[in-house]
């Protein structure tokens, strides 16, 4: 039975009664798996009973790939109720007993409603508020063959033997697949965990090992200390494997990094970074990490990049393990992921969002700290640009968005929650009058809500409390008003600016209108925000020609209305808004404004910071739907550009046009675009070295330039790559290719039949042709299934591979959603990779027809709406711009 709950209407057996009806309302409940009435019809659990503690015993069998378990759940009754409803998924519950207070335990019947993954116990007499009770559930289940819940995995050791292991991934909705629980973030409790294992295995969980007890069947039971903190279920974790650790004490915490034994030598950098970051966060947040140990575990087969389980952080091997000779860029990737997951130990674990609609409170903060703790400015700038691109779509969502289904929960794990969340935090920090106010505010937030759950409003209140010397009530209004306008609605503003002598006119319109020209045109002075949206309170920062680079040059004013006028001290030649791109908005300067900025850069490339130069390139592509000679004029200065951020942004934008032409098979225009890119950046490309490079920024620049050069088959680049691969192959892999150049070199090698086979044999002594790679990834036989989204993304870069990927996805959709949950980031990536470069009506019709046919198997996903919208935009862009692009080239 499917129930649709509408505002203001309670469904009954006789329909929806009038508001003043005195007829008793009898809710319609679904039918349980046994045919009995299931006593709950909502997606969210009732609030009448809360868990206090879980005592869990798990017995995994890695031979049969099954496990048994016992969950003893102690609960507190908050409100009188005649039922207990909690979550369980794919668990065969064999026995259930219930004990109220000091009374005797009695057997109970468990009802199950599989659609909502809920189970329930119904009582003949109500439980009373204030009572304590205990529910004990014995159950069995199969270890999962996907990446959620308690799942099995395997790897081949150095001797060629297959080793099996079991690990967990519970966020967001999979703890219920390992044990019955109240699987919502706000139901925090303590956990006591016991796990049995073979004697040649080890077990890990959130807390340190308390004792190990030999069992009669030859197994060993490990009992872990009871958690000293209240935890949400999605943060519980346990692993049964044969891993090897290295460890180090940091303050009162034992930090360990675990890996398969043969990769132990690659764990040292991770231990070093985790130790430094733990010490940094302890001091920065002024709150000590609360557990005795912090484990970081590299799992050979793991879908997420990493997972912040409290005290037991799990990683892909590629995001935790690096060799001693790895490049600075490779090490930065590992450091960045560790910084993100360690930040979660405070933001997410210590203080947790109440519900998934405010996921950004976890992920936005962790992303913000990931970049600011390591000061990876170029990387943070680039992800802010990509977050703007995503959020410009009508199919985007608010940072804090309504979530009422599993699929919607999964879809919250996207660039809006992560990168836009981090971006609005950066904007807030930059807009506060004192540099330390932001830090004081988040410390206040962490201390006030330690081990509790919060919503977005709690964060704004904490930030308000630290602003000394300002009227609190008015400041509360300012902070809440300014920030809620950024988190409660999708999209962002386009600020149009015009300079007349010392008068600056600014107008704000909604950029969530890629399909509405009146909001994007340079002459648009009439279009305001659509009625569904409120205006933003925009902290507009700006510099001008008299002072434009140093931080003290920055000025701030708040654009609160649709338009406003700013008075400058004197006449200026030009104005650059959004200093260093710390604000989440784009700017359009009008023809004269763009011309003045272009002229300034042509005379002195350092007239603006490199962040501001990159910002201009991003904005000029983002502020127009139609093609403009302003692009060409601005990019003329690029011959003098040597900084990473502006070059990589320009290459990304130009490559996106080139790929559209490639997929349309516009060979003439494609050739001219290729010539333009190589002409504009050729000297910079040729100046790149192919040896080891210590600077991360220079590695990023080199990777982008040579990646583009080789993809466009620039002869110099291709020959260098082939030569380097030949040396690498002849050395049997002992010669090291610099980490930032490996993708470039291997991509060129893979285009040759001979080198392709050499690559495959190096990866594993198996012969496969390129077409079989996708199926191998789906089967997990040769390419690990965790890497399939990345494989699809890579194969999609070429014309033939692009069409093949789309066919593959259609043919294998049901298998894909068995492996990856509907709405998950993996599915989002697969859909975007396979459709984002289509630009014809035929492809639009094909994509729309396929996803419509899926119905409950994916048709309503936000990523599908994004795909369709992107194709329409591509189609419109191509139809409008091909003639002018041809003339321009």
């Amino acid at each position: 039975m499917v129930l649709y709950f509408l505002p203001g209407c309670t469904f009954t057996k006789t329909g929806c009664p009038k508001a003043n009806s005195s007829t008793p309302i009898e809710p319609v409940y679904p039918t349980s798996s046994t045919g009995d009435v299931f006593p709950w019809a909502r997606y969210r659990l009732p609030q009448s009973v809360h868990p206090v503690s879980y005592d869990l015993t798990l017995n995994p069998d890695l031979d049969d790939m099954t496990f048994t378990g016992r969950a003893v759940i102690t609960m507190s009754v908050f409100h009188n109720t005649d039922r207990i409803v909690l979550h369980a998924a794919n668990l065969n519950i064999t026995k259930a007993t219930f004990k109220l207070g000091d009374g005797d335990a009695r057997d109970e019947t468990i009802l199950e409603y599989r659609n909502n993954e809920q189970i329930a116990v119904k009582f003949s007499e109500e439980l009373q508020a204030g009572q304590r009770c205990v529910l004990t559930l014995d159950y069995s289940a199969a270890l999962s063959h996907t990446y959620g819940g308690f799942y099995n995995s395997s790897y081949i050791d150095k001797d060629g033997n297959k080793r099996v292991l079991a690990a967990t991934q519970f966020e967001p909705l999979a703890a219920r697949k390992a044990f019955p629980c109240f699987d919502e973030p706000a139901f925090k409790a303590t956990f006591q965990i016991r796990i049995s294992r073979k004697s040649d295995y080890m077990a890990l969980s959130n807390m340190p090992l308390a004792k190990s007890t030999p069992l009669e069947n030859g197994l060993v039971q490990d009992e872990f200390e009871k958690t000293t903190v209240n935890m949400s279920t999605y943060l519980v974790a346990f692993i049964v494997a044969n891993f090897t650790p290295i460890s180090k004490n940091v303050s009162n915490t034992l930090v360990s990094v675990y890996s398969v034994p043969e990769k132990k030598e690659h764990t040292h950098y991770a231990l070093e970074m985790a130790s430094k970051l733990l010490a940094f966060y302890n001091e920065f947040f002024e709150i000590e990490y609360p557990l005795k140990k912090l484990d970081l575990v590299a799992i050979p087969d793991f879908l997420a990049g990493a997972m912040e389980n409290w005290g037991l952080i799990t990683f892909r091997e590629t995001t935790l393990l690096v060799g001693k000779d790895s490049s600075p860029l490779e090490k930065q990737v590992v450091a960045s992921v560790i910084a993100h997951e360690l930040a979660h130990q405070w933001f997410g674990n210590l203080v947790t969002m109440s519900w998934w609609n405010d996921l950004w409170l976890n992920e936005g903060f962790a992303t913000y700290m990931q970049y600011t703790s390591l000061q990876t400015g170029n990387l943070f700038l680039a992800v802010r640009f990509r977050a703007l691109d995503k959020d410009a779509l009508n199919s985007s969502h608010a940072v804090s968005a309504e979530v009422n289904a599993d699929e919607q929960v999964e879809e919250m794990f996207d660039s809006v929650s992560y990168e836009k969340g981090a971006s609005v935090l950066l904007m807030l920090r930059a807009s506060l009058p004192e540099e330390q106010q932001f830090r004081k505010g988040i410390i206040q937030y962490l201390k006030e809500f330690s081990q509790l759950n919060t919503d977005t409003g709690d964060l704004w209140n904490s930030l308000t409390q630290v602003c000394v010397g300002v009227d609190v009530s008015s400041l509360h209004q300012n902070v809440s008003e300014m920030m809620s306008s950024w988190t409660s609605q999708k999209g962002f503003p386009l600020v149009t600016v015009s300079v007349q002598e010392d008068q600056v006119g600014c107008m704000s319109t909604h950029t969530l209108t890629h399909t509405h020209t009146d909001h994007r045109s340079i002459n648009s002075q009439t279009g305001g925000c659509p009625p569904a949206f409120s205006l933003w309170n925009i902290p507009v920062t700006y510099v001008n020609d008299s002072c434009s680079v140093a931080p003290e040059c920055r000025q701030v004013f708040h654009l609160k209305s649709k338009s406003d006028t700013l008075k400058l001290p004197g006449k200026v030649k030009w104005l650059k808004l959004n200093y260093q791109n710390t604000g989440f908005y784009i700017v359009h300067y009008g023809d004269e404004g763009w011309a003045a900025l272009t002229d300034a850069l042509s005379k002195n490339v350092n007239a603006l910071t490199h962040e501001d130069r990159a910002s201009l390139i991003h904005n000029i592509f983002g502020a127009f739907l139609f093609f403009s000679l302003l692009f060409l004029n601005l990019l003329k200065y690029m011959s003098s550009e040597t900084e990473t951020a502006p070059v990589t942004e320009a290459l990304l934008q130009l490559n996106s046009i080139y790929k559209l032409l490639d997929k349309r098979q516009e060979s003439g225009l494609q050739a001219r675009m290729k010539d333009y890119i190589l002409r504009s950046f050729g000297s910079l490309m040729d100046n790149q070295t192919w040896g080891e490079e210590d600077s991360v920024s220079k590695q990023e620049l080199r990777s982008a330039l040579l990646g583009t050069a080789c993809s466009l088959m620039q002869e110099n680049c291709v020959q260098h790559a082939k030569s380097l691969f030949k040396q690498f192959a002849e050395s049997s892999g002992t010669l090291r290719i610099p980490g930032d150049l490996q993708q470039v070199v291997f991509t060129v090698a893979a285009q040759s039949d001979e080198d392709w086979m050499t690559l495959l044999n190096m990866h594993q002594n198996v012969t496969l042709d390129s077409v079989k790679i996708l199926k191998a990834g789906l089967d997990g036989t040769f390419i690990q299934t965790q890497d399939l989204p990345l494989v699809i993304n890579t194969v999609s870069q070429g014309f033939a591979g692009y069409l093949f990927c789309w066919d593959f996805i259609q043919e294998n959709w049901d298998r894909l959603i068995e492996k990856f949950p509907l709405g998950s980031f993996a599915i989002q990536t697969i859909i975007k990779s396979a459709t984002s470069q289509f630009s014809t009506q035929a492809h639009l019709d094909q994509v729309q027809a396929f996803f419509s046919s899926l119905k409950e198997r994916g048709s309503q996903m936000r990523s599908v709406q994004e795909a369709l919208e992107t194709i329409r935009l591509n189609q419109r862009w191509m139809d409008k711009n091909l003639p002018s692009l041809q003339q321009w080239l």
Side-chain angles (χ1 to χ4, degrees):
M1 180 186 295
V2 178
L3 299 180
Y4 294 91
F5 291 92
L6 303 177
C9 176
T10 301
F11 278 77
T12 69
K13 290 180 179 177
T14 57
C16 185
K18 296 179 180 179
N20 60 356
S21 171
S22 59
T23 306
I25 296 174
E26 183 181 350
V28 173
Y29 292 118
T31 303
S32 71
S33 56
T34 57
D36 299 308
V37 172
F38 189 81
W40 192 249
R42 299 179 187 174
Y43 177 68
R44 299 281 300 275
L45 296 180
Q47 296 294 312
S48 50
V49 176
H50 282 233
V52 175
S53 66
Y54 293 83
D55 192 310
L56 304 176
T57 303
L58 295 129
N59 307 295
D61 184 334
L62 298 185
D63 295 323
D64 292 340
M65 295 301 173
T66 59
F67 69 100
T68 61
R70 167 174 285 188
V72 181
I73 311 172
T74 301
M75 296 161 287
S76 179
V77 182
F78 279 33
H79 310 288
N80 292 5
T81 183
D82 62 353
R83 74 205 71 180
I84 295 174
V85 184
L86 62 161
H87 289 109
N90 305 323
L91 302 180
N92 175 32
I93 297 175
T94 54
K95 183 178 177 60
T97 61
F98 180 76
K99 182 173 178 287
L100 181 61
D102 296 327
D104 296 331
R106 62 176 188 265
D107 290 345
E108 292 289 351
T109 299
I110 294 295
L111 301 170
E112 181 179 17
Y113 182 49
R114 289 172 183 159
N115 284 11
N116 283 350
E117 298 181 334
Q118 293 171 353
I119 59 173
V121 180
K122 187 79 165 61
F123 304 106
S124 56
E125 295 182 7
E126 282 195 336
L127 306 176
Q128 302 299 306
Q131 288 181 320
R132 283 279 180 117
C133 53
V134 178
L135 181 64
T136 301
L137 300 165
D138 293 335
Y139 60 97
S140 63
L143 287 168
S144 172
H145 296 291
T146 66
Y147 293 100
F150 195 14
Y151 73 94
N152 74 81
S153 180
S154 64
Y155 66 96
I156 305 300
D157 67 17
K158 64 179 185 299
D159 299 320
N161 300 314
K162 182 180 179 180
R163 302 300 300 257
V164 295
L165 61 96
T168 60
Q169 170 61 40
F170 290 161
E171 188 181 32
L173 306 168
R176 64 193 69 173
K177 296 179 180 179
F179 58 96
C181 57
F182 294 78
D183 201 10
E184 294 181 6
F187 288 110
K188 290 192 171 187
T190 59
F191 292 82
Q192 174 91 60
I193 296 174
R194 298 175 193 83
I195 302 176
S196 64
R197 58 173 173 83
K198 290 182 178 179
S199 58
D200 57 342
Y201 275 76
M202 60 178 294
L204 296 170
S205 189
N206 304 83
M207 295 295 289
L209 182 66
K211 64 178 180 179
S212 296
T213 306
L215 302 177
E216 292 181 359
N217 55 9
L219 300 179
V220 177
Q221 185 183 74
D222 289 335
E223 180 176 326
F224 299 91
E225 295 179 14
K226 184 177 181 179
T227 61
T228 53
V229 289
N230 288 312
M231 285 170 38
S232 302
T233 48
Y234 77 87
L235 293 170
V236 176
F238 31 88
I239 297 168
V240 178
N242 181 23
F243 290 160
T244 303
I246 63 170
S247 303
K248 181 179 181 179
N249 279 297
V250 179
S251 299
N252 298 314
T253 303
L254 180 65
V255 181
S256 302
V257 179
Y258 287 82
S259 70
V260 298
E262 50 265 42
K263 295 181 180 179
K264 181 179 179 180
E265 64 182 293
H266 300 314
T267 58
H268 295 280
Y269 179 75
L271 181 63
E272 175 191 344
M273 284 309 305
S275 301
K276 288 180 179 177
L277 284 161
L278 182 61
F280 170 79
Y281 285 145
N282 279 339
E283 181 180 352
F284 186 87
F285 296 133
E286 297 181 2
I287 301 171
E288 290 285 313
Y289 173 76
L291 304 184
K292 295 178 184 177
K293 64 113 175 161
L294 176 63
D295 296 337
L296 295 81
V297 184
I299 297 178
D301 196 20
F302 188 73
L303 181 60
M307 176 60 209
E308 67 268 20
N309 314 299
W310 215 341
L312 184 63
I313 308 176
T314 45
F315 295 78
R316 280 192 181 200
E317 288 187 333
T318 53
T319 58
L320 190 66
L321 306 180
V322 288
K324 60 182 180 181
D325 296 326
S326 296
S327 70
L329 195 57
E330 291 170 296
K331 290 178 178 177
Q332 179 180 273
V333 170
V334 168
S336 184
V337 177
I338 293 173
H340 183 100
E341 303 308 328
L342 259 64
H344 269 312
Q345 307 302 299
W346 286 263
F347 287 103
N349 298 11
L350 189 67
V351 180
T352 313
M353 78 267 146
S354 294
W355 180 239
W356 300 107
N357 64 309
D358 276 327
L359 175 66
W360 85 278
L361 288 174
N362 285 19
E363 299 300 350
F365 259 114
T367 304
Y368 171 82
M369 293 305 303
Q370 158 188 350
Y371 293 117
T372 55
S373 64
L374 298 173
Q375 299 180 326
T376 51
N378 281 339
L379 198 53
F380 195 11
L381 181 65
V383 299
R384 298 203 300 276
F385 290 150
R386 304 292 74 79
L388 285 161
D389 296 345
K390 158 112 173 177
D391 203 33
L393 296 172
N394 281 314
S395 47
S396 183
H397 63 92
V399 170
S400 181
E402 189 172 339
V403 174
N404 292 307
D406 289 2
E407 185 180 300
Q408 293 172 358
V409 172
E410 295 280 0
E411 288 183 322
M412 290 301 288
F413 291 80
D414 67 0
S415 63
V416 173
S417 296
Y418 284 68
E419 283 83 15
K420 183 179 179 179
S423 299
V424 298
L425 291 172
L426 174 66
M427 181 171 61
L428 174 60
R429 188 199 73 181
S431 69
L432 292 175
E434 294 180 19
E435 189 174 334
Q436 289 299 311
Q437 280 182 323
F438 182 75
R439 180 186 171 202
K440 290 177 182 175
I442 60 177
I443 290 171
Q444 168 73 24
Y445 170 76
L446 290 170
K447 289 184 175 178
E448 182 177 354
F449 297 104
S450 176
Q451 297 195 53
L452 301 176
N453 296 84
T454 62
D455 58 31
T456 298
D458 295 321
L459 174 63
W460 308 148
N461 291 338
S462 294
L463 283 157
T464 297
Q465 294 171 27
V466 304
C467 296
V468 180
V470 183
D471 179 79
V472 173
S473 60
S474 65
L475 183 65
H476 177 276
Q477 187 179 15
N478 289 341
V479 170
S480 295
E481 275 188 5
M482 183 178 94
M483 297 315 296
S484 64
S485 70
W486 295 94
T487 56
S488 63
Q489 59 182 335
K490 59 185 174 181
F492 55 88
L494 165 65
V495 177
T496 303
V497 59
S498 59
V499 182
Q500 300 291 337
E501 299 289 335
D502 61 350
Q503 299 281 331
V504 181
C506 290
M507 184 181 71
S508 166
T509 54
H510 206 292
T511 55
L512 198 152
T513 46
H514 268 51
T515 54
H516 296 87
T517 312
D518 58 334
H519 290 288
R520 303 180 60 80
S521 166
I522 60 172
N523 296 315
S524 172
Q525 300 295 327
T526 57
C529 291
F533 300 98
S534 62
L535 289 168
W536 284 268
N537 184 329
I538 311 171
V540 177
T541 56
Y542 62 95
V543 293
N544 61 52
D545 59 285
S546 64
C547 185
S548 58
V549 177
E552 54 268 23
C553 298
R554 187 194 72 144
Q555 303 293 314
V556 187
F557 79 99
H558 285 262
L559 181 59
K560 301 178 184 178
S561 55
K562 178 186 168 185
S563 61
D564 203 352
T565 302
L566 172 67
K567 176 82 170 171
L568 297 175
K571 185 178 178 181
V572 299
K573 294 179 182 177
W574 51 262
L575 205 67
K576 167 64 176 72
L577 271 62
N578 200 2
Y579 176 70
Q580 294 190 336
N581 208 73
T582 55
F584 198 76
Y585 56 92
I586 62 175
V587 184
H588 177 38
Y589 296 92
D591 286 1
E592 291 183 5
W594 283 115
L597 287 163
T598 299
D599 182 61
L601 289 178
S602 66
K603 292 175 180 175
N604 177 16
V605 71
N606 294 313
L608 294 170
T609 65
H610 69 272
E611 295 95 340
D612 281 325
R613 301 197 299 271
S615 167
L616 287 179
I617 294 166
H618 176 266
N619 284 195
I620 204 166
F621 276 86
F624 295 94
L625 183 61
F626 53 86
F627 201 75
S628 169
L629 287 176
L630 292 173
F631 297 158
L632 173 62
N633 293 335
L634 179 64
L635 292 183
K636 283 179 180 176
Y637 100 91
M638 293 300 296
S639 59
S640 304
E641 183 63 83
T642 58
E643 289 290 337
T644 301
V647 172
T648 54
E649 185 60 25
L651 287 173
L652 184 144
Q653 298 292 355
L654 291 169
N655 275 322
S656 67
I657 297 174
Y658 179 83
K659 288 176 182 177
L660 281 177
L661 296 172
D662 177 43
K663 302 308 182 289
R664 274 270 194 116
Q665 291 292 282
E666 297 282 351
S667 55
L669 276 178
Q670 186 183 350
R672 292 189 198 124
M673 176 59 82
K674 169 184 171 179
D675 290 344
Y676 170 76
I677 296 172
L678 294 179
R679 194 166 61 246
S680 301
F681 296 91
S683 61
L684 201 52
M685 291 169 174
D686 290 339
N687 287 338
Q688 300 307 304
T689 62
W690 290 77
E692 294 293 348
E693 171 58 65
D694 292 335
S695 165
V696 170
S697 181
K698 288 181 180 178
Q699 284 190 335
E700 291 170 337
L701 177 64
R702 178 170 73 172
S703 176
L705 283 164
L706 296 181
T708 297
C710 281
S711 71
L712 297 179
M713 304 306 292
Q714 187 211 44
E715 187 175 351
N716 188 36
C717 182
V718 171
Q719 291 307 318
H720 268 104
K722 285 182 175 179
S723 174
L724 195 54
F725 182 77
K726 184 180 180 183
Q727 296 172 50
F728 173 72
E730 289 175 350
S731 73
S732 300
T734 58
L735 174 76
R736 176 179 159 73
I737 298 174
D740 60 304
L741 295 181
Q742 288 177 9
Q743 183 174 350
V744 175
V745 172
F746 293 153
T747 299
V748 170
Q751 294 170 28
S752 148
D753 288 345
E754 180 182 351
D755 291 344
W756 167 246
M757 294 311 300
T758 303
L759 271 174
L760 281 177
N761 288 326
M762 284 178 172
H763 185 274
Q764 194 175 34
N765 293 321
V766 173
T767 301
L768 283 174
D769 61 58
S770 58
V771 175
K772 292 179 183 174
I773 284 288
L774 291 174
K775 290 182 178 177
L778 193 55
D779 296 335
T781 52
F782 172 66
I783 303 292
Q784 286 182 311
T785 303
Q786 66 173 21
D787 294 323
L788 183 58
L790 176 61
V791 171
I792 289 174
N793 180 263
T794 305
V795 174
S796 294
Q797 299 303 309
F799 177 73
Y802 196 64
L803 297 177
F804 178 77
C805 279
W806 173 234
D807 290 342
F808 173 83
I809 288 166
Q810 294 175 86
E811 292 168 11
N812 295 280
W813 181 257
D814 287 340
R815 291 191 64 192
L816 286 170
I817 61 176
E818 283 176 15
K819 299 287 185 181
F820 311 114
L822 278 176
S824 65
F825 188 73
I827 290 293
Q828 294 175 42
T829 301
I830 288 168
I831 292 173
K832 181 178 180 179
S833 298
T835 62
S836 63
Q837 294 169 54
F838 285 147
S839 62
T840 65
Q841 186 63 44
H843 277 133
L844 175 63
D845 293 343
Q846 193 180 109
V847 173
Q848 192 156 18
F850 172 69
F851 284 112
S852 295
S853 71
L854 297 178
K855 298 181 180 177
E856 74 279 359
R857 291 168 22 252
S859 64
Q860 299 304 312
M861 287 188 298
R862 186 185 293 120
S863 49
V864 171
Q865 306 312 312
E866 289 176 1
L868 295 172
E869 184 180 355
T870 299
I871 297 170
R872 291 188 188 101
L873 289 169
N874 290 345
Q875 181 184 6
R876 187 175 178 203
W877 196 97
M878 294 290 279
D879 291 347
K880 276 182 168 289
N881 294 315
L882 280 182
S884 55
L885 181 61
Q886 186 167 0
Q887 182 181 357
W888 177 63
L889 290 170

